Amino acid sequence: MSAPPAMIFDFDGTVSLGDGPVLAYAQAVADGSGSDEFLSAVREHMALADGAYIDGYDLVRGVALEWGIAASALAQAYLASRELLATPAAPVAAPAGLAEFLERAPAERILLTNAPEIRIEAALDALGLRGAFDAVITSAGKPAGISDLLDRLGPERRVLSVGDVWQNDLAPVHARGHATALVGSHAQPEARPDYAGPTVTELLPALRAWLDGR
C-alpha cells in the first residue's frame, strides 16, 4: 500500500493570519530601544504595503537595520514577542475553512515552521487547529529544513507545500518537482508556484483538486 500524499504548511502568514504577532515584535523592539517612534515607523511601512519586504517580520528587521538596532536586540525582542502569541497582545486568526479541510484531507498533514516552540500549541488551540496536524516541527531552519523533511518523506511521495515565503517554504519543494502553493500579497518575482492566492481559503479548491490527483 502506497503512502498517502504529504501536505506541508508554514505557520506565520499561512496557517496563522493577522498583524498581531508582527506588531508585538515591533513593540518589543520599540520597548528595547526606548522609542515608540520605531513602532510608528513599522506601521507606516505596513500601511504602504512596502514591496521591499517579503513579510511582516522581514519588514521589522529591515526597519530595525535602518535604525541601527543590533541583531542581538532584535533576537531578544522576537523571543519576547513570541511569549505573547495568540494572546490579546498578539492575536491570530485561521484562514476560513482550513480546519474543516485538514480534518477531511486524506494526507499526512505537517506543520513546518522556523518559529520556536514557544506557545505554538496554544496558538493552534486558539486557531481551532489543535490536533489538525500529524506532525508539528518548530525551529525548522528553512529552507534547509524543508529539504531535510523531503529527504525523510522519500522521493516517491506526492508532496505539496503551502507557504508565504517562496525561498523558505516553496523553492526547495519546487526544485524537486513537487507542487507548491504561495499565499499572501507580497511581491516575490522569483516565485513560480503551481497555485497562488491571498490566503489559504482561496486556495482550498485547488488543494482539494491536487489531493484528488487533478
Side-chain angles (χ1 to χ4, degrees):
M1 183 176 177
S2 61
M7 304 188 81
I8 305 168
F9 289 83
D10 175 51
F11 184 70
D12 288 289
T14 303
V15 164
S16 175
L17 303 179
D19 293 332
V22 170
L23 291 173
Y25 179 26
Q27 181 65 66
V29 176
D31 292 343
S33 67
S35 174
D36 285 338
E37 293 179 6
F38 179 83
L39 181 60
S40 297
V42 169
R43 287 184 178 277
E44 288 175 7
H45 279 280
M46 292 175 72
L48 292 171
D50 196 330
Y53 304 103
I54 58 175
D55 63 11
Y57 296 95
D58 187 45
L59 188 155
V60 174
R61 287 190 293 269
V63 176
L65 181 63
E66 294 173 6
W67 281 54
I69 295 172
S72 58
L74 269 183
Q76 185 176 0
Y78 174 71
L79 290 176
S81 74
R82 298 309 281 192
E83 295 286 356
L84 302 173
L85 182 66
T87 70
V92 294
L98 177 59
E100 295 80 4
F101 170 81
L102 290 172
E103 183 179 1
R104 300 171 183 172
E108 182 177 358
R109 303 150 302 170
I110 303 167
L111 184 69
L112 186 74
T113 175
N114 283 351
E117 189 177 5
I118 301 168
R119 289 192 57 80
I120 289 291
E121 286 298 328
L124 289 174
D125 201 22
L127 293 166
L129 297 174
R130 180 179 287 275
F133 295 97
D134 300 295
V136 176
I137 304 169
T138 58
S139 301
K142 294 185 285 185
I146 202 164
S147 295
D148 293 340
L149 175 59
L150 293 174
D151 289 341
R152 295 196 296 273
L153 291 173
E156 302 305 317
R157 294 286 290 275
R158 289 184 68 225
V159 176
L160 184 148
S161 185
V162 186
D164 66 324
V165 179
W166 173 256
Q167 193 61 39
N168 281 355
D169 305 323
L170 308 180
V173 181
H174 173 78
R176 298 200 192 190
H178 296 301
T180 59
L182 180 65
V183 300
S185 57
H186 292 277
Q188 298 179 62
E190 74 281 15
R192 298 291 183 272
D194 296 282
Y195 315 107
T199 74
V200 173
T201 300
E202 290 78 15
L203 289 170
L204 290 178
L207 301 187
R208 293 189 185 98
W210 180 84
L211 282 171
D212 292 339
R214 294 185 276 121

